[in-house]
Amino acid sequence: MTNSNKKGYLLALIAGASWGTMGIFVKNLDLIGLDSMTISSFRPTIAIIFYLIFNLIKNPKCFKTDLKGLLLFAIYGIFALDGMFIASSYAVKYTGVATASVLLFINPIIVVVLSYFLFKESFNFKKFLALIFALIGCCLVVKAYDSSSFKLNLIGIIWGVLSGFAVALQNILGKVAIKKYSHKTFLVYSFLFGAIFLWFFAPPWKLVTSINNRSTLINVIGLGIIATLVPNSTIVKSLKYIESGKASIVASVEPVIASILAFLIFGELFEIPQLVGMFLIIFSIMLIQLDDNKNINDTNFNKVSDEVALTKE
């Protein structure tokens, strides 16, 4: 495995781990009394505030772009980012956390299939197995086997599927964008468009007045930075080094982190199927990396064979 591959996998892991913290902040804000749309609006709003300040100081050149770029960033910010924020919130509302999570995790399938046709990414047996193990693992970790927590209704299913498509769209559009634009330029405008769109439903003054104590402020900042800015930044950057499908599978470590945090913070105990699910997710990530090692070995073998052939000639 090359250093670039390692960097890509590490970034995707960081993204998945950071997304895994989202449930903690959302649950705390929900208990405080904030509605789903307000919570969703806080995510790009806090992210863009910090990202704007950081780049104005460190990298002001990243604000330079063109009209095509602005259109792409607007589509990403509104349909991919906000689409996931809104759809996942309503999926949880209508079906519950377990069902919404299972529907959200259809995104690796969508990414792998679209990447095969759009980016000509390989789809071999190891990637297929890794995808299956990751999906089964995610279902087990969120306790999809428990009928008491697994609820189905048409409206909830639609929102859940839309959340999965939105996450897949983030991956695909991100891969397209970083071919031409800096990931910083891409993210700063995407967060900005995402925030502006959601302000129509939860305007800035409503967001400001809803922060009325230190606990709310801490959870809002955590949601915007740890669970939004960090994962979206790292997953986009990972696409420079590894395939879209592989990044999506590696980021499926999210429910593992979420379950561990739920155990540490809320005292939620693990069940045996959940532990099996965690093992399957970790195994799927290892399988993807083994696939990269095989490809590198095959490439090196072919290079040596070519050199030997040239020497004989």
Side-chain angles (χ1 to χ4, degrees):
M1 187 188 302
T2 66
N3 288 332
S4 293
N5 288 144
K6 291 177 181 178
K7 189 172 183 179
Y9 286 124
L10 178 60
L11 289 167
L13 277 172
I14 292 172
S18 299
W19 273 320
T21 67
M22 180 177 61
I24 303 299
F25 300 118
V26 170
K27 185 171 183 177
N28 287 337
L29 291 171
D30 181 62
L31 291 172
I32 290 169
L34 272 63
D35 61 85
S36 297
M37 194 57 74
T38 300
I39 295 172
S40 296
S41 186
F42 266 124
R43 296 187 66 180
T45 300
I46 298 299
I48 190 57
I49 289 173
F50 279 83
Y51 210 56
L52 272 174
I53 295 171
F54 176 81
N55 284 297
L56 281 171
I57 297 171
K58 292 288 187 179
N59 190 28
K61 291 182 179 179
C62 77
F63 293 94
K64 186 178 180 180
T65 187
D66 53 31
L67 187 60
K68 288 183 179 179
L70 288 175
L71 180 60
L72 177 60
F73 306 149
I75 292 172
Y76 183 91
I78 295 171
F79 292 99
L81 285 181
D82 290 348
M84 192 273 281
F85 298 157
I86 297 171
S88 59
S89 295
Y90 280 99
V92 171
K93 178 180 178 180
Y94 286 106
T95 66
V97 175
T99 310
S101 298
V102 171
L103 294 170
L104 176 66
F105 291 129
I106 66 170
N107 79 84
I109 299 176
I110 301 170
V111 172
V112 168
V113 172
L114 290 180
S115 297
Y116 174 79
F117 291 103
L118 296 176
F119 309 125
K120 308 303 179 185
E121 293 183 1
S122 63
F123 186 59
N124 54 33
F125 186 65
K126 281 187 178 179
K127 185 182 286 188
F128 173 76
L129 279 181
L131 182 62
I132 296 300
F133 286 144
L135 290 172
I136 294 173
C138 289
C139 290
L140 291 175
V141 171
V142 300
K143 298 200 292 188
Y145 55 86
D146 186 352
S147 59
S148 63
S149 60
F150 195 69
K151 300 182 292 183
L152 291 176
N153 62 74
L154 183 59
I155 296 176
I157 290 173
I158 291 173
W159 280 117
V161 171
L162 286 175
S163 70
F165 270 99
V167 174
L169 191 61
Q170 289 181 27
N171 203 304
I172 298 300
L173 289 180
K175 189 74 171 180
V176 172
I178 60 172
K179 289 182 178 180
K180 183 177 180 181
Y181 304 99
S182 159
H183 75 279
K184 292 181 179 179
T185 303
F186 173 59
L187 287 168
V188 75
Y189 284 108
S190 297
F191 282 133
L192 182 60
F193 282 116
I196 292 172
F197 178 76
L198 286 178
W199 289 345
F200 286 99
F201 305 95
W205 54 87
K206 180 182 179 182
L207 300 182
V208 172
T209 56
S210 65
I211 303 175
N212 49 23
N213 57 61
R214 188 172 64 178
S215 176
T216 304
L217 178 61
I218 291 172
N219 281 285
V220 162
I221 292 175
L223 180 67
I225 303 300
I226 300 174
T228 304
L229 176 58
V230 171
N232 282 281
S233 300
T234 51
I235 196 67
V236 169
K237 196 170 181 180
S238 75
L239 298 175
K240 294 171 62 177
Y241 307 108
I242 58 175
E243 296 177 356
S244 301
K246 291 180 178 180
S248 184
I249 293 172
V250 172
S252 65
V253 73
E254 173 192 345
V256 175
I257 302 301
S259 297
I260 292 172
L261 289 175
F263 167 72
L264 295 174
I265 296 174
F266 301 117
E268 296 181 9
L269 298 178
F270 293 122
E271 297 178 3
I272 292 177
Q274 288 180 291
L275 294 174
V276 173
M278 291 180 186
F279 171 78
L280 289 175
I281 292 171
I282 294 170
F283 181 72
S284 71
I285 295 171
M286 293 171 62
L287 197 59
I288 282 292
Q289 295 180 43
L290 287 173
D291 185 46
D292 266 353
N293 289 333
K294 179 181 181 301
N295 291 337
I296 291 172
N297 290 335
D298 289 345
T299 301
N300 291 336
F301 177 78
N302 291 334
K303 285 182 179 179
V304 172
S305 297
D306 292 341
E307 290 173 1
V308 171
L310 289 170
T311 303
K312 289 181 178 178
E313 290 176 2

